[in-house]
Amino acid sequence: GTTKSEILLIDAVQPVTTITGLENVKVIGDRAFMFCVKLESFVCPTNLSCIGQFAFYNCIMLESVQFNDGLITIGESAFSGCESLGETVTLTDSVREVGGNCFSNCFGLKTLVFGSGIEKIGAYLVFNNNGIASVTNIVLADGLCFGLYEIESNEPIISGIVIGTEDFTSGSGLAYYFNKQYKHLVWKKA
């Protein structure tokens, strides 16, 4: 196994299908596995706390990711372009922040499940460039309260959205808001 605590960059030209020996890794750096087009699955190491921006960008054969308890942050566009990602992605309760465009252009993804620890969700989370929304279910714990903010100005647009009430119920209702109505806004726990 590796003794480094951070993976900075893997040579994407290599036909990497699986990655092992990451027991001591705490941070996967920005663009670490970007364009590893043969990578099929990834199991987050036990000590991993952060996945950097574009870390798995365009890993088009990536079908599954098993997130660890203890993961706190997933960076912007971390899994963008992972076209083969399975139908359901489940984030652990420890995940507090998911960056913008994190699961954009993941055409196979249908259901995204957030754990109870989520505090911030970036804009264009599940946006697809083809304009067709593939994610039809977004699941957040009932009772969580969010406000919606502009990306650039960080100005509040809507506050007091309580998950599980009115139109903001988990499933297709939330998917609508993330795909269409409020796709361009940042969700922050109130």
Side-chain angles (χ1 to χ4, degrees):
T2 183
T3 58
K4 292 185 175 186
S5 65
E6 181 174 10
I7 297 294
L8 297 178
L9 186 63
I10 296 294
D11 183 0
V13 176
Q14 296 177 10
V16 177
T17 58
T18 59
I19 298 167
T20 58
L22 303 179
E23 296 83 15
N24 299 316
V25 172
K26 295 178 182 173
V27 174
I28 294 176
D30 296 350
R31 298 172 175 79
F33 303 112
M34 187 168 149
F35 295 113
C36 285
V37 297
K38 302 251 185 216
L39 182 63
E40 297 173 353
S41 65
F42 186 78
V43 176
C44 291
T46 306
N47 296 320
L48 188 67
S49 63
C50 177
I51 297 174
Q53 296 180 33
F54 298 93
F56 293 89
Y57 182 81
N58 268 2
C59 292
I60 59 173
M61 299 301 290
L62 185 64
E63 295 177 356
S64 67
V65 178
Q66 184 178 334
F67 296 98
N68 64 307
D69 289 326
L71 180 63
I72 297 169
T73 305
I74 303 174
E76 180 181 333
S77 299
F79 294 95
S80 181
C82 293
E83 299 174 4
S84 301
L85 204 55
E87 288 193 10
T88 302
V89 167
T90 302
L91 303 176
T92 57
D93 288 339
S94 62
V95 175
R96 290 188 217 136
E97 183 174 343
V98 176
N101 286 303
C102 190
F103 296 100
S104 62
N105 296 312
C106 294
F107 303 117
L109 182 59
K110 305 288 180 222
T111 301
L112 182 56
V113 181
F114 288 90
S116 60
I118 193 68
E119 296 175 0
K120 183 178 178 184
I121 303 169
Y124 298 100
L125 176 72
V126 292
F127 179 76
N128 289 336
N129 289 339
N130 66 8
I132 299 170
S134 59
V135 175
T136 54
N137 291 296
I138 291 184
V139 179
L140 284 160
D142 283 353
L144 289 178
C145 186
F146 286 89
L148 298 178
Y149 296 80
E150 281 290 341
I151 299 171
E152 301 296 326
S153 68
N154 202 31
E155 291 292 321
I157 303 300
I158 299 173
S159 60
I161 295 174
V162 178
I163 304 303
T165 61
E166 300 173 18
D167 293 334
F168 296 96
T169 56
S170 287
S172 60
L174 276 178
Y176 170 79
Y177 289 103
F178 277 90
N179 279 310
K180 303 261 190 247
Q181 188 73 17
Y182 301 126
K183 67 183 178 191
H184 61 287
L185 299 176
V186 175
W187 294 63
K188 291 184 186 177
K189 190 173 178 183

